[in-house]
Amino acid sequence: MCFLGLLFVFSILRKVAWDYGRLALVTDADSVASAMQSQTPDRYERLTSISSSVDYDQRDTGFCSWLTAIFRIKDDEIREKCGEDAVHYLSFQRHIIGLLVVVGVLSVGIVLPVNFSGNLQDGNAYSFGRTTIANLRAHDNLLWLHTTFAFLYLLLTVYSMRRHTSKMHYKEDDLVKRTLFINGISKYAEEKDIKNHFEQAYENCVVLEARICYDVAKLMYLDSERKKAERSKKFFTDLLAKEHVPTMINPKPCGHLCCCVIKGCEQEEAIGYYTKLECKLRDEYKKEREKVNTKPLGMAFVTFQNEAMTASILKDFNACQCQGGCRCRREPKSSQFSTVLHTYNWTVTYAPDPQNVYWEHLSTAGFTWWARCFVINCLLFILLFFLTTPAIIISTMDRFNVTKPVQYLKNPIITQFFPTLLLWSFSALLPTIVYYSAFFEAHWTRSGENRTTMHKCYTFLIFMVLLLPSLGLTSLDLFFRWLFDTQFLAKGSVRFECVFLPDNGAFFVNYVIASAFIGNAMDLLRIPGLLMYMIRLCLARSAAERRNVKRHQAYEFQFGAAYAWLMNVFTVVMTYSITCPIIVPFGLMYMLLKHLVDRYNMYYAYLPSKLDKKIHSGAVNQVVAAPILCLFWLLFFSVVRIGFEAPTSMFTLVVLIITITVCLSHVVFGHFKYLSAHNYKVDTRTDVDGVENGGPQSIAMTSKATYIAQVLQESNSDEGGSGSGDDDGQGSSQDEDMINPVVNEGDFQSGEERLIANEVRQ
């Protein structure tokens, strides 16, 4: 009933407030202009396509039409509008679903009857304990079946992931394969010196482009604020021309909500206020633009003519040559510019895709980045060390009598609902804190940020959801106290017995059911995004800023957090698939609903994103941890019930040691590649002219348009088109003017006018 109620709320919100995401996807003028100037329209293709808006009208109208729209979305449409990474993610989900179908048939069809054949638990046929492994006797030969099936699940998982990666052709741009990212360059270096160095040091080397990176963080902020002021001024200019009545605004945050005029909150004429603000920001922008070339970061993107030369240079800089244990890195080839460029300090890697780079984060590097990362993660560890689970947070709050006043109300609805609300709130809050810690680390690429988010969130969720509750612990503090206790071995069996209690299995079944219905419904509602949208609307100073909020509310899909939550539930299901096989059908239900929800959200609610294949291969690596934990659970059961020297214990231990050895050897040293779950096929996309490895002229143009921050690409056109700051809003509205040839204003009239027609009068 709660699930159906949340779906009903979602259907209402779609009609009342859902255009805050859809309008941003269709009319994000800044993104459209950026895509046009950078000649990479594929990233924002759905923003500039008229068919997108028509598609919304045809598919996603009506109160419950979104239910059928989910099933009508095809993978080709998702690839076109959301990018290759969305297709990889959905393929990953489908292979997990297929794996759970097989595991469900084996667990429910074979393991469950075997568990039910025991007689250690309550004789009641409807007792949940009879479905668990705890119902079997200690020396029952049927326990061999459980260990064999656990090893079979491991093989099935590896096969499923290898099948997933073999079917995915990861497309890499030809430009990316021919571009190197160099860090550690002298800050006094010039682009022509870098180009001459490579052409002199390496025979037959042709450098098409060398781009030095600059500190553009402040410039990007000023550019964003300047464009907001320009759009707001144009909004009120058009309104004055239409109604011939000047508009007064309160230029303080939340000014449109303030109905009283007091000292310090006086109203101003809207056009005059935004004209002054625009002039101020334009002057600051021009000053910063003049200074940006004096703030190099010691980084550069260098594009070569062909991939073979790029690979040869990369190998030369990363080759090892051990000489008596004193040196490990070989000196690369040199030229007369080597000393000036400090080539001995260079760190050379393949360049990420230009759309994958956070240009504003490149200024946070070296010691500053590591110190920032260290402080953030130390604070995160201290917080989560003592407050690992929601239960310990609530018990800590009880010490300060936070929840007791609620109990004094003696209202059964409030007294029962309030603790549950706290439990749910902290369950959602703790992983969010982990996610934002990765965000504030200021990673240089979106892939790096998502990959760090995935690993940190997954590790934390496994501790919070699976390991600590299974052992009857509530925090990492208690876990390490128990682990390093002098009587660990003597008291360890008591803790491990908690893992196999029937009530423990029932708890995780309930968790998976709640995640399937409540969790997926909350993902569909996107409550955090809606709350952020409401806060931004409240902080707006005028109707024009409210319109800007509505038109710039769309965000990229967070693959790292999505992978972490998905694999957390999958790990819980696989870990208990043998000891409590009834959990598998509910895990399959979660995956099916999760797949449908993510398809809808990625297609209708999120911007496309461009990552690299490391995020997807990292997810494949983490999936293998699920059947390994299943083997660990069986090892604990066998040691506690039978003893360490029992045949089943020794067999499980040997399988675990072999599996962990193979996994570590593959991850650390690259061995056992044929046993690896990775089998990505990489396709290289060439330019539209059809010349393999590219021609110098066309590629140089592409490089100049891509491997440079967008704000630097726009600066020349902004300065030429805007003129003085006293223009009447015509030159400043270039973002909106650029999309006029592509998008017909009438296509969005019905959607946009409904949203902002009454903004000024509210």
Side-chain angles (χ1 to χ4, degrees), residues 42-78:
D42 56 325
R43 174 170 168 78
Y44 293 98
E45 184 173 359
R46 65 169 162 173
L47 303 181
T48 59
S49 174
I50 297 177
S51 62
S52 297
S53 60
V54 176
D55 182 58
Y56 287 136
D57 293 337
Q58 292 178 350
R59 280 187 177 178
D60 202 17
T61 58
F63 190 73
C64 293
S65 60
W66 61 274
L67 285 172
T68 57
I70 297 177
F71 298 96
R72 286 182 288 172
I73 302 173
K74 299 179 181 179
D75 279 356
D76 291 337
E77 297 173 348
I78 293 177

Side-chain angles (χ1 to χ4, degrees), residues 304-588:
F304 300 90
Q305 187 175 13
N306 58 69
E307 296 179 15
M309 178 54 64
T310 307
S312 175
I313 295 174
L314 179 65
K315 182 178 179 181
D316 183 48
F317 273 91
N318 292 283
C320 293
Q321 183 179 9
C322 297
Q323 298 178 355
C326 298
R327 296 175 57 185
C328 185
R329 177 176 170 178
R330 187 178 67 188
E331 287 292 335
K333 295 180 180 180
S334 61
S335 70
Q336 66 180 17
F337 301 96
S338 297
T339 304
V340 178
L341 298 176
H342 299 170
T343 57
Y344 50 86
N345 286 333
W346 285 10
T347 301
V348 182
T349 59
Y350 274 118
D353 192 278
Q355 301 162 7
N356 191 14
V357 179
Y358 281 124
W359 298 100
E360 65 273 24
H361 291 172
L362 292 180
S363 57
T364 307
F367 176 79
T368 303
W369 190 90
W370 285 106
R372 177 176 182 161
C373 183
F374 178 78
V375 171
I376 290 174
N377 285 282
C378 282
L379 294 176
L380 179 68
F381 179 79
I382 293 173
L383 174 65
L384 300 181
F385 185 79
F386 298 101
L387 304 177
T388 312
T389 60
I392 193 66
I393 296 178
I394 294 177
S395 63
T396 303
M397 293 173 64
D398 285 337
R399 297 178 184 176
F400 299 96
N401 298 328
V402 175
T403 57
K404 285 186 177 180
V406 178
Q407 298 175 0
Y408 292 150
L409 295 177
K410 297 182 179 180
N411 187 324
I413 298 178
I414 297 178
T415 56
Q416 294 179 14
F417 176 73
F418 185 71
T420 305
L421 178 62
L422 286 177
L423 189 66
W424 177 84
S425 300
F426 287 119
S427 297
L429 176 63
L430 292 176
T432 303
I433 295 175
V434 178
Y435 160 70
Y436 276 105
S437 69
F439 174 78
F440 287 113
E441 287 173 3
H443 289 271
W444 291 354
T445 62
R446 291 172 171 82
S447 297
E449 180 184 282
N450 278 273
R451 194 164 60 251
T452 302
T453 300
M454 179 180 66
H455 294 318
K456 290 170 66 173
C457 275
Y458 177 73
T459 303
F460 171 70
L461 285 171
I462 289 302
F463 269 97
M464 184 184 79
V465 174
L466 180 62
L467 297 182
L468 297 182
S470 295
L471 296 171
L473 300 170
T474 55
S475 69
L476 284 174
D477 178 27
L478 298 177
F479 173 77
F480 284 111
R481 288 185 189 179
W482 166 70
L483 187 63
F484 296 105
D485 193 353
T486 55
Q487 299 181 347
F488 167 75
L489 295 177
K491 298 181 179 180
S493 59
V494 178
R495 286 291 179 189
F496 288 122
E497 282 284 356
C498 296
V499 177
F500 310 105
L501 291 175
D503 292 341
N504 202 27
F507 168 80
F508 286 104
V509 171
N510 290 331
Y511 172 79
V512 173
I513 294 174
S515 299
F517 293 105
I518 308 301
N520 284 319
M522 297 302 293
D523 286 343
L524 199 59
L525 285 169
R526 295 188 295 128
I527 296 298
L530 185 60
L531 292 176
M532 183 61 65
Y533 170 66
M534 295 170 60
I535 293 173
R536 293 182 64 192
L537 280 181
C538 292
L539 293 176
R541 292 172 287 193
S542 65
E545 293 189 6
R546 295 180 70 184
R547 187 185 70 162
N548 288 336
V549 169
K550 293 179 179 180
R551 298 180 64 167
H552 298 84
Q553 181 62 22
Y555 301 102
E556 294 180 358
F557 186 79
Q558 296 297 325
F559 286 96
Y563 268 128
W565 278 103
L566 178 74
M567 288 185 293
N568 166 60
V569 177
F570 174 74
T571 304
V572 170
V573 173
M574 288 296 292
T575 302
Y576 280 90
S577 61
I578 300 294
T579 57
C580 183
I582 200 70
I583 198 175
V584 182
F586 299 105
L588 178 60

Side-chain angles (χ1 to χ4, degrees), residues 630-740:
C630 182
L631 287 170
F632 265 112
W633 253 231
L634 286 178
L635 177 63
F636 294 159
F637 177 83
S638 183
V639 170
V640 171
R641 287 292 186 89
I642 310 175
F644 182 77
E645 298 180 355
T648 54
S649 302
M650 297 303 298
F651 176 77
T652 307
L653 179 63
V654 170
V655 171
L656 261 177
I657 293 175
I658 294 175
T659 303
I660 295 175
T661 302
V662 170
C663 291
L664 290 178
S665 299
H666 170 70
V667 173
V668 178
F669 302 106
H671 299 311
F672 305 104
K673 291 185 178 180
Y674 292 101
L675 298 177
S676 171
H678 300 290
N679 193 24
Y680 277 108
K681 291 182 174 62
V682 179
D683 294 340
T684 302
R685 296 181 297 185
T686 56
D687 290 0
V688 293
D689 57 4
V691 180
E692 188 174 359
N693 291 332
Q697 293 181 350
S698 63
I699 295 176
M701 291 177 61
T702 306
S703 176
K704 186 178 295 184
T706 54
Y707 278 108
I708 181 173
Q710 187 64 46
V711 68
L712 297 180
Q713 298 181 41
E714 296 175 352
S715 59
N716 293 332
S717 60
D718 286 346
E719 293 173 1
S722 59
S724 65
D726 297 330
D727 58 6
D728 53 357
Q730 303 300 321
S732 63
S733 62
Q734 59 178 343
D735 295 334
E736 284 80 357
D737 295 338
M738 290 189 66
I739 64 173
N740 286 337

Side-chain angles (χ1 to χ4, degrees), residues 2-13:
C2 184
F3 176 68
L4 295 178
L6 290 175
L7 293 184
F8 181 75
V9 171
F10 171 73
S11 298
I12 295 176
L13 284 176

